[in-house]
Amino acid sequence: QGQLVESGGGSVQAGGSLRLSCEYTKNHVYMAWFRQAPGKEREGVAIIDYSGKTAYGDFVKGRFTISKDNGKNTLFLQMNSLEPGDTGMYFCALVSQWYLWHQQDRVVLWGQGTQVTVTS
């Protein structure tokens, strides 16, 4: 299944933007971003399949965009209009299927995570 390495996290003021990257060693049919805020369960942020089809968590509301560059083996998450509620650890993941992709039991491989902090 390979390895996933995230980067691009940091601290930003509310309304700002961040672009997360995830380098992978082996391409996969379904790749996703999850996040976990302190004291909360990990939740699905976005998923992209091999054809480029995407889906997002309801809380995204058009603010984030998931994409991938197969030539560079890199998955991206462009996050705009960030809010303090977006603060948390963001994880890149390989997912086994599209159906119920946002559930943690669909994940077959996790990255180590990158921290995103949004200040008001």
Side-chain angles (χ1 to χ4, degrees):
Q1 295 165 339
Q3 187 177 8
L4 305 172
V5 180
E6 301 97 331
S7 62
S11 183
V12 64
Q13 288 190 330
S17 299
L18 281 174
R19 189 192 196 200
L20 306 183
S21 299
C22 171
E23 294 186 17
Y24 51 88
T25 55
K26 185 176 180 181
N27 201 2
H28 193 75
V29 176
Y30 305 111
M31 301 189 70
W33 288 97
F34 285 72
R35 72 181 188 183
Q36 187 167 20
K40 294 187 177 181
E41 291 192 358
R42 200 168 294 190
E43 59 182 352
V45 177
I47 183 173
I48 186 168
D49 79 355
Y50 64 95
S51 72
K53 182 175 71 173
T54 61
Y56 297 88
D58 291 341
F59 59 86
V60 170
K61 298 178 181 177
R63 300 179 297 131
F64 299 172
T65 302
I66 187 172
S67 62
K68 60 188 299 193
D69 184 335
N70 290 328
K72 296 183 178 180
N73 279 14
T74 305
L75 179 72
F76 301 102
L77 184 68
Q78 177 67 43
M79 304 187 294
N80 300 326
S81 301
L82 283 162
E83 304 166 352
D86 295 316
T87 294
M89 188 70 76
Y90 283 68
F91 299 89
C92 179
L94 303 186
V95 179
S96 61
Q97 57 184 300
W98 187 268
Y99 179 64
L100 297 179
W101 65 269
H102 56 279
Q103 294 187 171
Q104 292 189 54
D105 62 1
R106 297 294 189 264
V107 175
V108 296
L109 182 67
W110 292 102
Q112 85 288 350
T114 185
Q115 177 67 36
V116 171
T117 302
V118 184
T119 58
S120 57

